């Protein structure tokens, strides 16, 4: 198949495919007429890359999965290098989740403090001026 058909089937653009080719993630095969040619294996590579990117993987992190598929394995994550990338990504995600939980706790504490202060104001007293609304 030609580049336009592959892009359509993969749900991406020809520009993206040329970029992947320049990065060595997609093979650069040419027909006698000079057109790029692709097959179903190339579509599998693209689907693997797109799935991983949907999960938040950087493009370079997809390389071990692509290499694994190119080596003839039935799945891109059946090689040790791919499993190592999964492990690193899970560690990164766990760190990020921890950071988000800490921020959430701080925001919750600030909300609780602000609500207590608002309740403690004298009824009928002047409303504090909010710089954002006035």
């Amino acid at each position: 198949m030609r580049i336009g058909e592959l892009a359509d089937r993969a749900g991406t653009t020809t520009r993206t495919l040329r970029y992947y080719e320049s990065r060595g993630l997609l093979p650069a095969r040419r027909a006698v007429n000079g057109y790029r040619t692709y097959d179903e294996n190339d579509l599998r590579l693209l689907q693997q890359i797109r799935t991983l990117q949907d999960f938040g993987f950087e493009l370079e992190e997809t390389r071990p999965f692509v290499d694994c598929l190119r080596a003839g394995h039935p799945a891109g994550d059946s090689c040790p290098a791919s499993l190592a990338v999964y492990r690193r990504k899970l560690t990164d995600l766990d760190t990020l989740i921890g950071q988000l939980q800490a921020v959430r706790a701080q925001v919750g504490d600030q909300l609780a403090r602000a609500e207590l202060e608002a309740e403690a104001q004298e009824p009928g007293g002047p409303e504090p001026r909010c710089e954002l609304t006035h």
Side-chain angles (χ1 to χ4, degrees):
M1 76 185 90
R2 295 205 351 217
I3 193 167
E5 181 183 352
L6 180 63
D8 287 343
R9 290 185 62 191
T12 191
T13 64
T14 58
R15 181 177 178 190
T16 298
L17 297 184
R18 285 191 288 275
Y19 178 69
Y20 291 170
E21 181 183 307
S22 74
R23 299 293 306 268
L25 293 168
L26 195 60
R29 291 185 304 270
R30 300 229 178 220
V32 191
N33 60 9
Y35 292 134
R36 289 174 171 88
T37 61
Y38 303 96
D39 59 24
E40 293 299 318
N41 290 328
D42 299 321
L43 180 59
R44 284 184 55 220
L45 294 177
L46 285 172
Q47 290 167 334
Q48 179 76 77
I49 292 168
R50 304 230 347 131
T51 298
L52 292 169
Q53 287 195 303
D54 287 347
F55 291 160
F57 286 66
E58 298 293 326
L59 185 59
E60 195 56 36
E61 291 174 312
T62 70
R63 189 173 299 282
F65 298 85
V66 169
D67 291 344
C68 190
L69 284 172
R70 280 188 176 161
H73 294 274
D77 58 5
S78 58
C79 296
S82 303
L83 298 175
V85 172
Y86 274 154
R87 286 185 194 100
R88 278 193 308 272
K89 183 56 80 175
L90 281 176
T91 298
D92 293 347
L93 289 170
D94 288 341
T95 299
L96 183 59
I97 288 168
Q99 292 169 344
L100 289 171
Q101 286 173 331
V103 169
R104 188 193 188 290
Q106 291 174 343
V107 170
D109 291 346
Q110 288 294 99
L111 173 62
R113 180 202 48 77
E115 288 176 335
L116 284 174
E117 287 179 7
E119 289 173 7
Q121 288 180 1
E122 285 186 42
E127 286 284 320
R129 180 180 167 102
C130 180
E131 295 298 322
L132 296 175
T133 59
H134 289 90

